[in-house]
Amino acid sequence: MLNKKITDLLNSQINKEFYSSYLYLDMSNYYYDNSLNGFGNWFGIQTQEEYAHAMLFVKYMQNNGEKVALEAIKKPDIVYAGFKQALDEAYKHELYISQSINDIYALAYELKDFKTMQFLDWFVKEQGEEEKNVDELCKRFDLFGTDARGLYLIDTELASRVFTAPSLVI
Ligand code: FEO
């Protein structure tokens, strides 16, 4: 059994990860709708990753005998003003998720819940990678994406991304 304050935050994190998956699906659709299939693919993989993150939290709750309380998933409501905006919004969103993971970690630390801290270690590292990946994409878009040929090359490169299931075993 876990502390109630921890399970509340873990439950809320499950919803945030599912929302992330939904948000990135919306971004993926936006790019596919605009014939940028590589960007669509890249965000489609993000969608799969976020779903996998949510399921890791579900599994952790279940492994500890805790009941998962699923909440409604908010509708993504961003109106994209241009191809760069989805990237900026994705970066902002990853910073928000990192803060959310850090908040759970801080509570686990305060409660001396070492098991949850160890579980979250993977997510702390993963968030660092997620932030770096989106930040790099933003910077490369600024450098090359405003030119049609540059945008085409980035899109072609992003088309090759494939989904790899998280390596975390719980
Ligand atoms: Fe599961 Fe990108 O945070």
Side-chain angles (χ1 to χ4, degrees):
M1 294 289 279
L2 301 168
N3 182 289
K4 168 86 169 64
K5 286 189 203 163
I6 287 284
T7 58
D8 284 349
L9 287 190
L10 291 174
N11 249 314
S12 161
Q13 191 64 33
I14 289 168
N15 186 265
K16 286 175 186 171
E17 300 290 347
F18 278 128
Y19 173 73
S20 303
S21 182
Y22 217 38
L23 175 68
Y24 292 147
L25 179 59
D26 189 58
M27 292 176 178
S28 174
N29 290 344
Y30 165 71
Y31 286 115
Y32 276 123
D33 288 345
N34 285 282
S35 300
L36 285 170
N37 295 357
F39 283 85
N41 174 64
W42 196 88
F43 275 100
I45 305 289
Q46 285 296 102
T47 296
Q48 288 177 273
E49 284 198 354
E50 299 303 349
Y51 177 83
H53 293 170
M55 293 308 292
L56 287 170
F57 280 99
V58 167
K59 192 79 196 149
Y60 182 71
M61 289 278 277
Q62 290 170 340
N63 283 354
N64 285 280
E66 300 291 350
K67 201 166 157 35
V68 173
L70 293 177
E71 295 160 15
I73 301 168
K74 191 165 71 98
K75 178 183 170 184
D77 57 0
I78 303 170
V79 179
Y80 304 107
F83 299 140
K84 176 73 192 306
Q85 197 192 341
L87 304 180
D88 289 334
E89 295 289 345
Y91 182 62
K92 244 184 350 194
H93 185 71
E94 285 305 325
L95 294 180
Y96 161 73
I97 293 294
S98 294
Q99 185 57 54
S100 180
I101 301 270
N102 289 346
D103 289 344
I104 311 174
Y105 205 107
L107 180 64
Y109 179 80
E110 190 189 312
L111 296 170
K112 295 189 169 53
D113 178 352
F114 303 115
K115 190 164 52 172
T116 298
M117 285 165 65
Q118 193 182 45
F119 165 68
L120 290 174
D121 278 340
W122 183 88
F123 283 92
V124 172
K125 187 162 173 280
E126 172 73 4
Q127 280 312 120
E129 283 171 21
E130 298 257 272
E131 284 176 29
K132 177 175 162 283
N133 290 343
V134 188
D135 185 43
E136 274 180 8
L137 194 49
C138 287
K139 286 176 177 152
R140 292 181 61 230
F141 191 98
D142 286 340
L143 277 172
F144 313 114
T146 47
D147 168 79
R149 269 182 295 188
L151 183 63
Y152 175 77
L153 288 174
I154 298 174
D155 192 58
T156 303
E157 190 186 308
L158 297 182
S160 65
R161 185 183 185 198
V162 292
F163 175 64
T164 313
S167 55
L168 177 64
V169 178
I170 21 176

